Amino acid sequence: MLKRYLFTTAFISWIVLVTLLSLFSFSGNTELPKIKIPHFDKFVHFSFYFGATVLGSMCIWERSKGRFSLRKTIFSVVGFAVLYGIIIEVLQAVFTSYRQGDILDVLANSVGAVLGGLVVKWIFSGNTPLKWKN
């Protein structure tokens, strides 16, 4: 069953991972080294939402067998990812004492989602074995 719904399982797992990493602190008992690259957290935000958009689009492609238009799918998934990123930032600001909402994080999330959508468009519009039935 997991093989049949590979992208669906991956997308749901990715969203759960992003949610957990965004809303909970795991720094209590870990001895992980701090990464001291300027704006590295923005790259992480970008990557989370880039991945969410690609996996979300692939999930819809897998579940619908390509019946939904590529354009509508990309707009829907990018819209979901941007809205989800805003909601997560608001939840961080309101419900956690160890995280804070940041408009630059929302920007990094949104840029990641949009570029993820462009990559999906490029993958399905080019000479790849993946075809979107429109």
Side-chain angles (χ1 to χ4, degrees), residues 15-24 45 48-49 81-96 99-102 105-106 109:
I15 292 298
V16 168
L17 177 70
V18 168
T19 303
L20 290 175
L21 293 176
S22 297
L23 295 179
F24 296 99
H45 281 269
F48 279 171
Y49 289 85
V82 169
L83 183 61
Y84 187 75
I86 292 169
I87 290 169
I88 288 292
E89 291 301 318
V90 170
L91 291 174
Q92 285 179 347
V94 173
F95 292 112
T96 67
R99 302 232 188 234
Q100 58 190 23
D102 184 359
D105 289 348
V106 171
N109 298 345

Side-chain angles (χ1 to χ4, degrees), residues 46-95:
F46 172 89
S47 300
F48 279 171
Y49 289 85
F50 180 92
T53 301
V54 171
L55 289 173
S57 298
M58 298 300 290
C59 170
I60 290 174
W61 173 70
E62 176 179 73
R63 302 291 292 184
S64 71
K65 311 281 190 272
R67 286 188 305 262
F68 298 125
S69 74
L70 177 60
R71 182 183 184 132
K72 184 184 274 189
T73 298
I74 290 172
F75 277 122
S76 298
V77 174
V78 168
F80 165 79
V82 169
L83 183 61
Y84 187 75
I86 292 169
I87 290 169
I88 288 292
E89 291 301 318
V90 170
L91 291 174
Q92 285 179 347
V94 173
F95 292 112

